[in-house]
Structures are given as structure tokens and as C-alpha cells.
């Protein structure tokens, strides 16, 4: 690995680590407080809606984000075209989901999901507003600014969520926590990135990116369905508190698994695309990075499996005891998956 590339990668990994672990531990701390104030049923109401938000996010991205990062000489027209495309798709998706809310509520026999989903799905619009600006920062490898935006949004929205939960808002504390988090991002990105779309849209840009992005879109879409299908099945055939148990266990699991994966992928992708034509070097560097992350994650995962029960009983509440086995199974899947 060249000295210059190595220096850039170490700096990138440092700030991405601060970003991802900062977010995860802030969410863990806030999540512990909220779990002591709310019920598994509250978490279940949010859990069954996440597949709609996740799939919508994939459709808004469409693989175009990574296509922009991959293109070394991306122009203002490229960025603006994807911005307008994303915004249009997000508005269309929100309208569809807004009017589908009664059907979603009927499917799960939970009438309150109508209003909850219509508010929570606002996240789709906020995501489209800041997505290209996120890509701009990512392409610049300005992970310091990304860390600032992400951690601030998690902490501020978490404080709002705790205040609402303390005042008896129940599930709406979780709803507004997520909406406020995305709203803060949609405000901070334009302020700190200093990027604005130009008045230009090109179908040629979409055609150029399509051959690359369609494969990413397909794999990511299927991955989201596979990962998010469990809350749907649980919510349809079992008591809603079972969805809450799964959602809480999965959230705890993400504190380790998702953070480590995102550090490896997010911190290295903008640099690795610079040597994408040197297959041997690219493979060698990625293997070395994977080994380094594995040496940290695997021992930590084993420790968490061992202490899962006392961790949940002591820090959260006995009502979440059913999450223990799910948490342990998800952690084990990280090792063998």
C-alpha cells in the first residue's frame, strides 16, 4: 500500500470509526433509556414499518450514489440530475405510501399505524433532500463533517425522544425521534456542504450510470427484503410485542455488526475506487482490512453473546428478557454469516 494512500486511508478510517461508533453508542445509550420508558408493543409498531422506509431508501439511491463516487470526473450535471431524480422518486413514493397507510394498518390489525406511518414516512422525503449532498461529502472524503452531522442528529433527536417518552407520548416518542433525526440532517447538510443543484437534468446521465447502478440496486433491494421480512411475518401472525423483542435485539446487534461493516466499506470505498483498475492491489488491501476488522469484531461479539442476559436485565428491563435469545442468535449469525 503506497504511503499516500495508506495515510489517507488511516485518516478516513479514524473519522469513520468516530462517526459510526459515536452514532451506535449514542443510540445505545438513548435506546436503553427509551426501552425503560416504552413497551415492546411500541417498538413493534415502528418495527413493521421499517421495511417500507428501507426499501424506499434503496429505490431513492438506486445505486446512483456509488456510481457518482465511482466516476472520477463527475460533473455538476451528474450530481444535479441524480438529485432531481431522487427528489421526484421520493415524492412519488411518499404519496403512494400515504394513501396505502390504511391498507398497512388493516394488514397488521393496528388502526394507529395509519397516522404513525404517514408521519414516519416523511423520512423518505428528508432522505432525498440530503442524499446527494451526503455523496458530495463522501466523494470528497470529508468524513469529519459527516461525523459531526450524524452524531449531532442522533444526539439531538434522541434527547427529544426521551423528553417525549417521559411526558407519556408512548410510541410517538420513537416516531418523532426518527423524523427529527432525518430533518436535522436535511438542514445541516445544505449548511455545511455548500452544494446546490444547477438547473439541468440529463437522461444521458441516468443511462450512463444505469448499467453500473442496476446491479447494486438489485442486490441491495433483495438484502433489505431478507433482513426486514421478519418483523412483517411476526407482526402478521404473532402478538405485536414479539416484533418489539426482535426489533430491540436487532438494534443491539447492529451496535457491533453494522458499525464494523460500515467502517470497512464507508471509510475505504472512495479510496479503493482510485485503484479499481489494479485488481491485485485492490484485493490485497481489502483482505488486509477485512482481517483487521475481524480481529476486533469477533472477540467483541463472543463477549456480548456471553453477557447478553445480564446486559439486558440490568441495563434495560425484565420485560425485554425475551430479546436475549434473539440477540444471541443474531450475534452468532454475524460470526458464521
Amino acid at each position: 500500500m503506497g504511503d499516500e494512500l495508506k495515510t489517507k486511508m488511516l485518516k478516513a478510517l479514524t473519522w469513520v470509526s468516530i462517526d459510526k461508533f459515536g452514532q451506535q453508542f449514542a443510540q445505545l445509550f438513548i435506546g436503553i433509556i427509551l426501552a425503560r420508558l416504552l413497551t415492546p408493543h411500541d417498538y413493534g409498531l415502528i418495527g413493521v414499518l421499517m421495511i417500507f422506509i428501507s426499501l424506499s431508501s434503496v429505490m431513492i439511491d438506486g445505486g446512483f450514489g456509488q456510481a457518482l463516487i465511482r466516476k472520477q470526473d463527475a460533473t455538476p450535471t451528474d450530481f444535479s440530475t441524480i438529485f432531481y431524480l431522487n427528489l421526484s422518486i421520493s415524492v412519488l413514493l411518499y404519496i403512494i405510501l400515504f394513501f396505502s397507510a390504511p391498507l398497512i394498518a388493516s394488514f397488521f390489525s393496528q388502526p394507529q399505524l395509519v397516522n404513525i406511518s404517514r408521519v414516519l414516512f416523511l423520512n423518505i422525503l428528508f432522505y432525498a433532500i440530503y442524499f446527494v449532498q451526503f455523496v458530495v461529502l463522501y466523494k470528497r472524503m470529508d468524513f469529519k463533517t459527516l461525523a459531526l452531522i450524524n452524531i449531532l442528529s442522533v444526539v439531538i433527536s434522541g434527547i427529544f425522544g426521551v423528553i417525549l417518552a417521559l411526558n407519556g407520548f408512548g410510541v410517538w416518542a420513537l416516531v418523532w425521534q426518527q423524523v427529527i433525526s432525518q430533518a436535522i440532517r436535511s438542514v445541516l447538510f445544505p449548511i455545511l456542504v455548500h452544494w446546490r443543484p444547477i438547473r439541468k437534468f440529463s437522461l444521458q446521465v441516468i443511462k450512463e450510470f444505469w448499467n453500473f447502478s442496476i446491479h447494486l440496486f438489485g442486490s441491495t433491494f433483495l438484502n433489505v427484503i431478507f433482513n426486514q421480512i421478519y418483523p412483517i411475518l411476526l407482526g402478521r401472525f404473532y402478538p405485536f410485542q414479539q416484533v418489539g423483542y426482535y426489533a430491540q435485539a436487532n438494534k443491539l446487534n447492529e451496535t457491533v455488526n453494522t458499525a464494523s461493516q460500515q467502517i470497512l466499506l464507508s471509510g475505504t470505498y472512495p479510496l479503493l475506487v482510485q485503484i479499481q483498475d489494479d485488481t491485485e492491489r485492490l484485493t490485497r488491501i481489502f483482505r488486509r482490512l477485512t482481517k483487521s476488522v475481524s480481529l476486533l469484531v469477533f472477540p467483541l461479539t463472543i463477549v456480548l453473546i456471553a453477557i447478553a442476559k445480564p446486559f439486558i436485565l440490568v441495563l434495560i428491563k425484565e420485560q425485554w428478557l425475551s430479546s436475549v435469545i434473539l440477540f444471541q442468535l443474531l450475534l452468532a449469525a454475524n460470526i458464521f454469516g
Side-chain angles (χ1 to χ4, degrees):
M1 189 185 303
D3 290 338
E4 183 180 357
L5 182 62
K6 185 176 182 179
T7 301
K8 288 182 179 180
M9 190 164 290
L10 287 174
K11 182 179 179 181
L13 288 173
T14 298
W15 278 110
V16 172
S17 298
I18 292 172
D19 180 9
K20 302 307 177 185
F21 281 118
Q23 285 188 75
Q24 293 297 333
F25 284 116
Q27 289 174 346
L28 176 63
F29 180 74
I30 293 166
I32 289 172
I33 298 174
L34 289 174
R36 297 178 68 89
L37 297 171
L38 304 174
T39 67
H41 186 271
D42 293 330
Y43 279 86
L45 291 170
I46 301 297
V48 295
L49 296 176
M50 292 314 297
I51 188 171
F52 301 103
I53 294 178
S54 297
L55 289 176
S56 296
S57 298
V58 172
M59 294 177 72
I60 291 169
D61 181 347
F64 290 117
Q66 293 197 43
L68 281 170
I69 296 170
R70 182 173 178 266
K71 186 177 180 180
Q72 298 295 311
D73 56 345
T75 65
T77 301
D78 294 332
F79 286 98
S80 297
T81 296
I82 301 306
F83 174 80
Y84 293 127
L85 177 65
N86 290 347
L87 199 58
S88 301
I89 292 174
S90 71
V91 172
L92 178 62
L93 288 172
Y94 181 76
I95 292 173
I96 293 172
L97 289 172
F98 183 92
F99 289 105
S100 299
L103 296 177
I104 296 172
S106 176
F107 180 81
F108 293 110
S109 302
Q110 298 288 331
Q112 62 191 122
L113 280 177
V114 174
N115 292 329
I116 290 173
S117 61
R118 286 174 171 172
V119 174
L120 192 63
F121 291 157
L122 288 172
N123 285 345
I124 297 168
L125 299 175
F126 289 131
Y127 179 69
I129 290 172
Y130 73 77
F131 175 74
V132 170
Q133 291 159 329
F134 163 81
V135 172
V136 170
L137 276 185
Y138 196 84
K139 192 174 178 69
R140 294 175 187 169
M141 293 185 292
D142 189 355
F143 296 113
K144 182 178 180 180
T145 302
L146 280 173
L148 175 64
I149 293 173
N150 288 332
I151 293 174
L152 274 177
S153 64
V154 169
V155 172
I156 294 173
S157 63
I159 292 172
F160 272 98
V162 171
I163 292 173
L164 292 174
L166 287 169
N167 285 276
F169 279 79
V171 66
W172 285 101
L174 297 174
V175 174
W176 286 113
Q177 178 196 10
Q178 294 199 30
V179 172
I180 290 171
S181 176
Q182 293 298 309
I184 290 172
R185 284 180 166 92
S186 69
V187 171
L188 289 180
F189 271 101
I191 292 175
L192 298 178
V193 177
H194 306 297
W195 176 87
R196 299 292 183 274
I198 62 175
R199 295 181 179 180
K200 199 165 184 181
F201 181 88
S202 172
L203 288 175
Q204 184 59 39
V205 170
I206 298 174
K207 291 178 182 179
E208 177 187 347
F209 288 160
W210 182 252
N211 289 335
F212 173 79
S213 63
I214 185 61
H215 302 291
L216 291 174
F217 169 75
S219 62
T220 307
F221 194 87
L222 290 175
N223 189 49
V224 167
I225 291 178
F226 178 78
N227 290 330
Q228 299 286 347
I229 196 65
Y230 303 112
I232 299 295
L233 296 176
L234 289 171
R236 185 68 176 86
F237 299 108
Y238 294 90
F240 242 63
Q241 64 181 16
Q242 300 297 330
V243 186
Y245 293 141
Y246 177 83
Q248 187 66 268
N250 192 51
K251 191 65 180 177
L252 292 171
N253 169 59
E254 288 178 353
T255 300
V256 177
N257 184 43
T258 303
S260 60
Q261 289 182 357
Q262 289 180 346
I263 288 171
L264 179 61
L265 297 175
S266 300
T268 60
Y269 184 73
L271 289 167
L272 293 178
V273 294
Q274 298 178 16
I275 57 171
Q276 57 186 301
D277 296 326
D278 189 345
T279 306
E280 183 180 349
R281 186 184 183 196
L282 183 66
T283 304
R284 185 177 68 252
I285 292 174
F286 194 77
R287 282 177 178 171
R288 188 182 304 174
L289 289 169
T290 303
K291 289 179 181 178
S292 299
V293 172
S294 299
L295 287 173
L296 171 66
V297 173
F298 285 2
L300 181 58
T301 300
I302 292 172
V303 170
L304 284 174
I305 291 175
I307 67 169
K309 184 174 181 178
F311 173 82
I312 290 177
L313 284 177
V314 174
L315 292 182
I316 306 181
K317 238 179 181 182
E318 190 171 352
Q319 68 171 337
W320 290 101
L321 187 58
S322 297
S323 295
V324 172
I325 296 178
L326 287 169
F327 181 35
Q328 291 171 324
L329 289 173
L330 289 169
L331 287 170
N334 296 341
I335 297 178
F336 300 106

